[in-house]
Amino acid sequence: MFPNEYTWIFAVGIVASISDAFGIGANDVANSFASSVSSGSLTLAQACLIAVFTEFLGALLLGSSTSETIKGGILSVERFVDQPEVLMMGMLCALIGSASWVIFASKKGMPVSTTHSIVGAIIGVGITALGGGAIQWGYSGVAKIITSWFVSPVASGIVTSIIYLPTRYFILDHPNSLERGIKAIPIYFFITSLISAFYLIYKGAPGTGAAKMSIGTIIGISFGVAAGVTAFSWFFFAKWLRRKVVGKENIRWYHIFVIHFIKHRPALPPPPPAPLTEEVSSELEGGCDIDGKLSVSVKDASNIGDADSPADEEEETNKSRLVKLLHKVKYYALRGIRKDVRNLDNKKLASVHEAAKKFDDDTEYLFSFLQIITACLASFAHGSNDVANAAGPIASIYDIWRYARVDIKGTAPVPTWILAMLGVSIDLGLVTFGYHVMRKLGNGVTYLSPSRGFAAELGTSLTVLTASKIGLPVSTTHCITGAITAIGLCNGSFRALNWKMLAWCFMSWIFTLPIAGLISGLLFAFAINAPVSFI
């Protein structure tokens, strides 16, 4: 093989990696924001707007600098040294297999691990190319992934319960829950910002100076960030909440920064209903009368004789067509963020939601801000880490295409333009297709409120962070599912959980590895055994 040979594999690989990143956005990012949207802390449009920036910036600024998906001991790439073009084809088939399964799963609302999908696809290619002996089946490879199916949800559920139950019994269940909540909010901000800062620096910043920091330095920086956030919440945010929620004053979010200088602003009275006057009735000129016959106003009748010229009529027709086309484009562009994903009016879930105890709305409102913080930082860290699922294989293809050799050490850098391209694709996947998973995972499993969603997201982040430190295999997708399940169980009733949906989720985890592997393995077998042209 020579440099810049097999350009078609590189070109198709770009398309396949974009498709895989699209699936990551539709599935992984969607299930990350499912609890925020389902609890009402964010609307679907707001979640998409936040994720567009946090996911893209995380992928671009802190994206993985190495091809992590092929250096983790799953596939022995050194066995392709003599035939680098075969590894190119294998990575292409892996991307296609992974993208096909993740997009299909997203369409069905199945929350799957995109990391396990690309790993399963690479396993399929490895078995087809080199046999089962080329795969690490022990705990350092496949067995570790299978273990995560059970470790991830259980560990995350336990951590989430530890966070949520004290909140429920000491704040939410108390008769004066609102006052207790306002007093406790700086403490929650301290805990949230401490964990989020540590998670972001320690796990969410590969390729930066954070990787060389000692654990003591990271802890010190995290405590400094948490102290600053707590001081702000104590002196400004808590004051704003007291006036906004307790006093019902007409103050805006931007008043937080100058709340001590804002005078009392009484709540605006509700606007009176507008009566149907003669002026309103006169606007209906040219409509139908009570008998259903077309009525024409005197003003319109006076213009009947003034017919438009054919040129004017053609111009009006063209304008009408353009307006209709623009409306159609707008409809399809925004279709994905106009869906109802909260499932609060779903009759099939009514019994599940009724089994969950409801708390004071004003107290729940306090936790919305905390949940937004956890969602933003988790999304930023997600973009920086999981973009490697699509970036790793295409970086390998690009490196082989450019230099005609296999990078045995797995240190092939991911170019910035690839990270930017895949970051945009992740955003498109969430905005246009993410509502399928959000609709299933959030209130589709149990009833979520801001306090419940906050505990689930914080529990997930803390679990992933701790497990990464001690070497336990976990998946973010599995963790958020386990956290939401624990929230349902904390209601004290098995009826507060949609067990059919949970079974559906667990089955999707089991199917991910073999299906992605089967698709990529069959595709690779088809490509590698194709007859050679004699022309």
Side-chain angles (χ1 to χ4, degrees), residues 174-244:
H174 197 271
N176 195 13
S177 62
L178 181 57
E179 184 63 28
R180 283 199 170 194
I182 292 178
K183 290 181 179 179
I185 209 71
I187 300 175
Y188 279 96
F189 264 101
F190 176 80
I191 297 172
T192 303
S193 56
L194 177 65
I195 294 174
S196 299
F198 192 93
Y199 177 72
L200 184 62
I201 297 171
Y202 178 76
K203 182 174 174 60
T208 67
K212 300 179 181 179
M213 291 181 183
S214 66
I215 193 69
T217 302
I218 296 176
I219 292 176
I221 295 174
S222 301
F223 267 96
V225 172
V229 172
T230 304
F232 177 82
S233 66
W234 180 272
F235 291 107
F236 294 94
F237 186 63
K239 177 71 173 178
W240 181 86
L241 281 175
R242 192 173 295 279
R243 293 180 60 175
K244 174 73 174 179

Side-chain angles (χ1 to χ4, degrees), residues 25-44 46-48 51 55 109-111 340-344 371 374-376 378-379 430 434-450 452-454 456-457 460 476-477 479-481 483-484 501 505:
N27 205 291
D28 255 18
V29 182
N31 66 54
S32 296
F33 276 92
S35 57
S36 298
V37 176
S38 297
S39 67
S41 295
L42 292 170
T43 65
L44 179 56
Q46 289 171 339
C48 291
E55 289 286 334
M110 302 162 65
D340 176 25
V341 298
R342 297 192 65 190
N343 282 323
L344 295 179
Q371 191 176 12
T374 56
C376 289
S379 175
L430 172 66
Y435 65 90
H436 291 287
V437 173
M438 286 192 185
R439 181 183 291 162
K440 294 282 188 178
L441 187 58
N443 287 322
V445 175
T446 189
Y447 174 77
L448 289 179
S449 61
R452 293 176 168 96
F454 158 72
E457 287 184 355
T460 297
T476 305
T477 301
C479 283
I480 190 64
T481 305
I484 293 175
M501 183 60 205
C505 291

Side-chain angles (χ1 to χ4, degrees), residues 20-330:
D20 199 31
F22 180 90
I24 292 173
N27 205 291
D28 255 18
V29 182
N31 66 54
S32 296
F33 276 92
S35 57
S36 298
V37 176
S38 297
S39 67
S41 295
L42 292 170
T43 65
L44 179 56
Q46 289 171 339
C48 291
L49 181 63
I50 291 173
V52 161
F53 291 98
T54 55
E55 289 286 334
F56 177 78
L57 291 175
L60 180 64
L61 301 178
L62 303 177
S64 177
S65 61
T66 58
S67 306
E68 295 182 14
T69 54
I70 62 170
K71 75 169 188 177
I74 296 296
L75 181 62
S76 302
V77 295
E78 61 271 9
R79 299 177 69 172
F80 293 92
V81 170
D82 295 332
Q83 292 181 300
E85 66 275 12
V86 176
L87 182 59
M88 281 183 72
M89 177 59 71
M91 291 298 102
L92 171 61
C93 295
L95 281 171
I96 295 175
S98 176
S100 301
W101 168 244
V102 172
I103 293 176
F104 172 80
S106 301
K107 173 64 175 177
K108 298 299 181 181
M110 302 162 65
V112 298
S113 171
T114 56
T115 302
H116 292 181
S117 181
I118 189 64
V119 170
I122 292 175
I123 289 174
V125 170
I127 293 176
T128 303
L130 305 171
I135 306 300
Q136 296 286 345
W137 297 103
Y139 188 77
S140 60
V142 178
K144 192 174 185 179
I145 294 174
I146 296 176
T147 302
S148 73
W149 296 344
F150 305 94
V151 173
S152 298
V154 173
S156 182
I158 293 174
V159 175
T160 299
S161 300
I162 294 174
I163 296 172
Y164 176 69
L165 289 177
T167 303
R168 173 177 176 175
Y169 290 122
F170 290 109
I171 297 178
L172 298 173
D173 277 334
H174 197 271
N176 195 13
S177 62
L178 181 57
E179 184 63 28
R180 283 199 170 194
I182 292 178
K183 290 181 179 179
I185 209 71
I187 300 175
Y188 279 96
F189 264 101
F190 176 80
I191 297 172
T192 303
S193 56
L194 177 65
I195 294 174
S196 299
F198 192 93
Y199 177 72
L200 184 62
I201 297 171
Y202 178 76
K203 182 174 174 60
T208 67
K212 300 179 181 179
M213 291 181 183
S214 66
I215 193 69
T217 302
I218 296 176
I219 292 176
I221 295 174
S222 301
F223 267 96
V225 172
V229 172
T230 304
F232 177 82
S233 66
W234 180 272
F235 291 107
F236 294 94
F237 186 63
K239 177 71 173 178
W240 181 86
L241 281 175
R242 192 173 295 279
R243 293 180 60 175
K244 174 73 174 179
V245 182
V246 180
K248 306 295 183 184
E249 294 186 41
N250 178 33
I251 53 177
R252 305 296 183 183
W253 66 267
Y254 48 81
H255 289 147
I256 295 175
F257 307 97
V258 291
I259 190 63
H260 293 283
F261 305 98
I262 300 295
K263 295 182 179 180
H264 179 73
R265 297 166 61 96
L268 294 175
L276 185 63
T277 62
E278 292 183 1
E279 294 179 359
V280 177
S281 301
S282 65
E283 294 178 1
L284 303 178
E285 291 178 341
C288 295
D289 58 21
I290 57 176
D291 295 326
K293 298 178 181 179
L294 183 65
S295 60
V296 181
S297 65
V298 176
K299 179 178 66 176
D300 293 334
S302 63
N303 295 326
I304 291 179
D306 300 331
D308 292 333
S309 65
D312 291 337
E313 290 181 355
E314 183 178 357
E315 183 178 355
E316 289 297 323
T317 301
N318 291 334
K319 286 182 179 180
S320 177
R321 289 174 179 172
L322 179 61
V323 169
K324 289 181 178 179
L325 177 62
L326 292 176
H327 278 297
K328 187 171 292 187
V329 171
K330 180 182 178 181

